[in-house]
Amino acid sequence: MKRTWILVLTLLLAIGLAADPALAQPKVLKVSNGVNEQHPSYLGGKKFGEILAAKLPGKYDVQVYANAQLGDDVRATEGVRMGTLEMVTTSASPLTGLVPEFNVFDLPFIVTSEKAADAIYDGSIGAKLGAALEPKGIKLLAYYENGFRQLTNSVREVKAPADMKGLKIRTMQNPIHLEAFRAMGANPTPMPFSEVFTALQQKTIDGQENPIPTIWLSKFYEVQKFVSLTGHVYGPHIVLINKKLFDSFPAEDQKIIAAAAQESAIYQRNLNRKMNSDFVAELKKAGNTVSELTPEQKKAFQDAVAPVYATWEPKIGKALMDEFKATVEKAK
Ligand code: TK8
C-alpha cells in the first residue's frame, strides 16, 4: 500500500515537472549558412540567438552552422520548407522556384544603393514577397544583405563586356544569372557556393561573382587575380524559418522572434557595409588588381543585359517591377 502511494506521488511529480515550462528543454533552432564563420550573415545569426536568449531565457537555443554543413542554399531551403531543418539564411535564388517574383532581386543593376535596398527590404515589397512564401510553408523572418556582387577572375582585367568574352564564370543556380552573364559575353556555369573555391583553384572555372566581404573572407583572392567593381546584382541573404514550427510557438514568442530577427538584420547590414569598404583595401594589399568602373563603363554592362529585363518582365510581373524601380528611385 505504502509502495503504491510512493509510486503515485512519483508519477504525479514527474508529470508536474514535465509540464513546467521553466524546466522544459529549450527548442533548438538550427540555422544553415553557406558562408563561413567570419561572414556577417553567420554573425547575424549568432546575434539573433543572443537577442532571443536575453529576451526569452532558456526557451530557444539558436545554433548557427557555417560552410554549408547543413546543405547549400538550395538543399537547406528545401529542408526548411519540408520541416527537416528549422532555419536557413539563403540567397534569393532557391526561392524563385517557389515564388517567381523573387527573381526581381536578381535583375542586374535594379538596386542602385544600400539605402534603396533597405527601402525594398523594410517596405511593402519585402513584406509582400515574404507573405507569398507562407502558402509554401516558409515564414520570412528578416532580410540580411549579401550586397553588391563584383566579378573576379584569374585571366584578365575586365572593364567592358568585351573583356568577358569566353571567360568561364560560376553563377548562382538561377536562370537570370545565366542569361545575364551570357548577355555580357561570358560563359556561365551554375554551381553551389560550397564548390566555388576548389573550382577556382583547379581552374575548372576562370572566375566567379560575389560581394567583397565574401571574396575576402572566403579567400577567393588567393586563387583570383582581377576584381572588377561591376556591382551588377545586389543580393539579399534571407532569413527563413519553417512556418508550421513558427506557428506552433506562443503568439508572444512569435512577436519576439520576429523582432529579434529584424534587430539582428540591422546589425548584420551595418557590419556587412563596413566590411564592404574595408576589404577593398585588403584585396589590393593581397595583390589583387581592383578595377573601378566609370559610369560610362558601367553603362556598357547595363546595356548588354537590357534584354534580360524584357524576358523576365512577364514572369516577375510588370506591377512589381515598376513598384520596385519606383521604390529604388525614391530612396536615392
Ligand atoms: C551562400 C550563398 C552565397 C551566394 C552565392 O550560401 O551562392 O554566390 O552569394 O552567399 O548564398
Side-chain angles (χ1 to χ4, degrees):
M1 192 59 197
K2 208 169 150 200
R3 272 239 208 108
T4 319
W5 272 113
I6 290 174
L7 197 70
V8 168
L9 283 174
T10 315
L11 259 173
L12 283 174
L13 189 67
I15 292 168
L17 284 178
D20 184 348
L23 294 166
Q25 288 295 315
K27 173 76 204 147
V28 172
L29 301 177
K30 289 190 187 160
V31 189
S32 173
N33 278 268
V35 289
N36 67 23
E37 292 90 344
Q38 283 88 47
H39 195 283
S41 295
Y42 174 90
L43 297 171
K46 291 293 245 192
K47 187 64 153 193
F48 168 67
E50 284 163 24
I51 299 169
L52 218 49
K55 296 241 161 95
L56 295 169
K59 285 193 84 174
Y60 299 92
D61 177 11
V62 176
Q63 300 177 358
V64 193
Y65 287 78
N67 298 314
Q69 283 172 56
L70 301 181
D72 264 298
D73 284 5
V74 172
R75 207 151 59 88
T77 302
E78 185 57 15
V80 169
R81 197 179 67 77
M82 307 271 292
T84 51
L85 173 66
E86 291 83 24
M87 291 179 65
V88 64
T89 301
T90 178
S91 288
S93 304
L95 302 174
T96 58
L98 299 171
V99 176
E101 285 82 357
F102 270 93
N103 277 302
V104 74
F105 286 114
D106 290 313
L107 282 171
F109 302 107
I110 195 162
V111 177
T112 52
S113 70
E114 288 160 351
K115 234 175 117 196
D118 289 341
I120 297 287
Y121 295 160
D122 303 329
S124 77
I125 293 188
K128 261 190 255 180
L129 289 169
L133 277 174
E134 300 202 358
K136 309 289 173 184
I138 296 174
K139 163 93 186 154
L140 189 154
L141 283 179
Y143 290 91
Y144 288 1
E145 79 163 15
N146 197 359
F148 283 108
R149 303 180 75 87
Q150 320 290 1
L151 179 77
T152 72
N153 84 94
S154 57
V155 179
R156 67 178 90 95
E157 186 177 17
V158 172
K159 287 183 128 180
D163 301 328
M164 299 256 269
K165 190 120 199 79
L167 290 184
K168 214 167 166 191
I169 306 293
R170 174 269 175 175
T171 65
M172 289 197 280
Q173 293 155 293
N174 172 330
I176 292 200
H177 287 268
L178 281 176
E179 270 178 47
F181 277 86
R182 253 181 229 128
M184 289 189 264
N187 176 10
T189 320
M191 174 188 303
F193 178 72
S194 60
E195 293 168 21
V196 177
F197 185 90
T198 309
L200 291 171
Q201 192 173 37
Q202 297 179 343
K203 296 219 166 22
T204 48
I205 49 175
D206 299 314
Q208 65 84 46
E209 43 81 55
N210 252 294
I212 294 290
T214 299
I215 295 172
W216 176 255
L217 296 170
S218 302
K219 297 191 169 23
F220 289 164
Y221 61 88
E222 288 183 352
V223 286
Q224 297 281 269
K225 177 88 180 94
F226 303 99
V227 183
S228 300
L229 300 180
T230 46
H232 50 278
V233 165
Y234 182 96
H237 260 166
I238 308 176
V239 185
L240 308 171
I241 188 166
N242 175 269
K243 178 154 191 311
K244 219 165 143 192
L245 174 70
F246 184 78
D247 289 346
S248 75
F249 299 149
E252 189 52 30
D253 288 15
Q254 292 182 14
K255 270 192 221 142
I256 294 172
I257 292 169
Q262 182 60 18
E263 195 182 327
S264 73
I266 302 306
Y267 162 85
Q268 190 276 347
R269 289 182 213 162
N270 285 334
L271 184 60
N272 199 61
R273 285 163 198 182
K274 181 167 180 343
M275 287 188 180
N276 196 41
S277 57
D278 290 353
F279 293 156
V280 169
E282 297 297 327
L283 286 168
K284 288 180 187 164
K285 268 194 246 161
N288 274 196
T289 302
V290 181
S291 312
E292 294 198 30
L293 304 186
T294 63
E296 295 73 38
Q297 286 169 328
K298 213 163 174 180
K299 173 97 179 16
F301 284 98
Q302 281 165 332
D303 290 347
V305 297
V308 177
Y309 275 70
T311 325
W312 284 84
E313 191 179 88
K315 294 179 210 170
I316 293 168
K318 186 169 171 3
L320 177 71
M321 257 163 82
D322 287 348
E323 188 188 345
F324 201 105
K325 287 184 206 159
T327 307
V328 168
E329 192 56 38
K330 211 173 135 208
K332 256 190 197 163

